[in-house]
Amino acid sequence: MPDLSCDLLGLRLKNPIILASGVIGTSATLLLRAAQAGAGAVSAKSCSFSAREGHSNPVTIDWGHGVLNAIGLSNPGAGKEVHLLTEARRLLDPLGVPLIASIFGGTVEEFGKVASIIARAEPHLIEVNISCPNVGDEFGTPFAATCESAAAVIAAVKAATSIPIAAKLAPNVPNIGRIAAAVVEAGADAITAVNSMPGMVINAQAHKPVLSNRTGGISGPALKPIALRCVSEIANAVDVPIIGTGGVSNGTDAAEMLMAGATAIGVGSAIWYRGVDALGDIAYELQSFMAAEGYADLRALRGLANR
C-alpha cells in the first residue's frame, strides 16, 4: 500500500490528516479521541489571553451545502489552556501524535503574550489565527487582511517563543500569496490555509438571519474550491509547509488538497457529517485512491496541479 507518512517541520506524521482547530479540540480526552480515530496530528481549539464565552445560540447551521458557524471563539483563556495542552501531550506522546496549539488576540501585543503562556505546555506547533478582528484598528479589520498587520502579529509571536509557528490565513483577501510571503518573511515556519469564509443564511419565513450573530464562517464542501485556490496560490508564492484546510470530506478531496500543494490536510467539518472516525476513514480513502491511481507516496501527489 502507498506510504502516507509525511514530515511537517521535522515532525513525523503517520498520515497527513490533521484535526483542524475549533472542531472537537476542547479537552485533552477529545484530542486523544481524535488521535485514536486515526489523525496524524491534532489541533486544540483557539485560545485567547482572557476567557471568552462566545456567542449565544443558535451558533451553527448545516445549510445544505456546508456548515455556517459563529461560535465566537469561546475558550477558557490561555492560563487554563496550558493545563489542557499539558495533559493532552501526556496522553498523545505515547501514540506519537503531535499536538498543535492555536492562539488569537485582539492586538499584536496580545498575540505575543498568549504565545509565551501557551509555550509552557510545549506543543509541537503553534497555529496563529490572524483572521480575528484587530481591535486596535478603527474599523476592526482582521489581521490577515493586510501584509503589514499579518506580518506584525507573526513577528510578535516569533519573538515570544522558539516553538515553530504556522500562520492561519483568511480566504477573503485580494492576494493571499502576497500575505503568505509577508508572514513567512516575518518568521512563519508554515501556513495553514484557510480559515472559514464569511457568509450569512437567512430564514425567509422569519425574514431574519438564522444565526444570533447574523453572520458566520462557511466551512464544509462549499469552501473546498476556495481553499484549493488559496493553497495553490500560496504554494506558488512561498516555500514552506502548508496545512491545507477547507472542505475536505473524503479521500479524493484530500488528494486534491495535496495536488494543490499542501503538505498536510486539516479536517474539520467532515466530523460534523461523518463523526470523529472520519479522520481515519479519510486517511484510508486517500491511501485507496493512491493505490488505484499508482501513487507510491505523498510526494508523488504534492503540487501536481501546479505544474
Side-chain angles (χ1 to χ4, degrees):
M1 291 295 284
D3 180 14
L4 288 187
S5 64
C6 69
D7 180 272
L8 178 65
L9 298 174
L11 301 171
R12 194 66 175 171
L13 276 60
K14 64 181 179 181
N15 67 60
I17 306 302
I18 298 176
L19 170 69
S21 177
V23 186
I24 61 170
T26 54
S27 73
T29 53
L30 284 172
L31 290 167
L32 174 63
R33 175 72 182 91
Q36 292 170 332
V42 296
S43 305
K45 195 174 187 297
S46 292
C47 74
S48 53
F49 183 73
S50 301
R52 285 177 56 95
E53 290 187 7
H55 298 136
S56 59
N57 285 319
V59 294
T60 305
I61 181 176
D62 177 354
W63 54 285
H65 305 284
V67 177
L68 186 75
N69 88 84
I71 305 297
L73 293 167
S74 57
N75 74 95
K80 291 185 177 179
E81 185 76 5
V82 167
H83 300 295
L84 183 157
L85 294 171
T86 300
E87 175 64 7
R89 273 217 60 169
R90 186 185 69 81
L91 296 174
L92 294 168
D93 282 355
L95 302 180
V97 175
L99 172 65
I100 301 172
S102 178
I103 67 170
F104 69 96
T107 65
V108 170
E109 294 74 20
E110 191 172 298
F111 271 96
K113 291 179 181 178
V114 178
S116 64
I117 295 171
I118 291 303
R120 300 171 193 165
E122 299 183 346
H124 296 93
L125 178 66
I126 295 178
E127 186 176 84
V128 186
N129 180 1
I130 57 175
S131 301
C132 48
N134 178 355
V135 298
D137 179 83
E138 181 181 357
F139 304 104
T141 306
F143 292 97
T146 70
C147 294
E148 293 76 16
S149 58
V153 169
I154 296 304
V157 173
K158 197 69 177 177
T161 178
S162 60
I163 294 172
I165 61 175
K168 188 170 188 178
L169 302 187
N172 51 321
V173 295
N175 190 325
I176 199 168
R178 287 184 58 198
I179 293 174
V183 296
V184 169
E185 184 177 356
D189 302 288
I191 301 287
T192 299
V194 286
N195 212 322
S196 57
M197 183 79 176
M200 177 188 286
V201 172
I202 292 175
N203 183 322
Q205 285 70 40
H207 50 81
K208 65 179 183 179
V210 173
L211 300 185
S212 65
N213 191 59
R214 298 182 60 83
T215 64
I218 298 171
S219 61
L223 184 61
K224 189 182 76 165
I226 297 169
L228 290 173
R229 185 265 303 172
C230 289
V231 169
S232 179
E233 290 184 5
I234 293 167
N236 286 322
V238 297
D239 187 22
V240 297
I242 303 168
I243 302 174
T245 307
V248 173
S249 303
N250 55 54
T252 303
D253 292 339
E256 293 172 7
M257 195 63 80
L258 291 165
M259 291 176 183
T263 299
I265 302 151
V267 171
S269 294
I271 296 172
W272 170 282
Y273 294 107
R274 303 180 60 181
V276 70
D277 289 337
L279 297 163
D281 290 344
I282 291 173
Y284 175 78
E285 292 161 6
L286 170 62
Q287 191 172 47
S288 298
F289 171 88
M290 292 170 63
E293 298 294 325
Y295 297 107
D297 54 34
L298 300 181
R299 289 174 298 177
L301 277 173
R302 192 165 291 123
L304 275 180
N306 299 332
R307 298 173 188 171

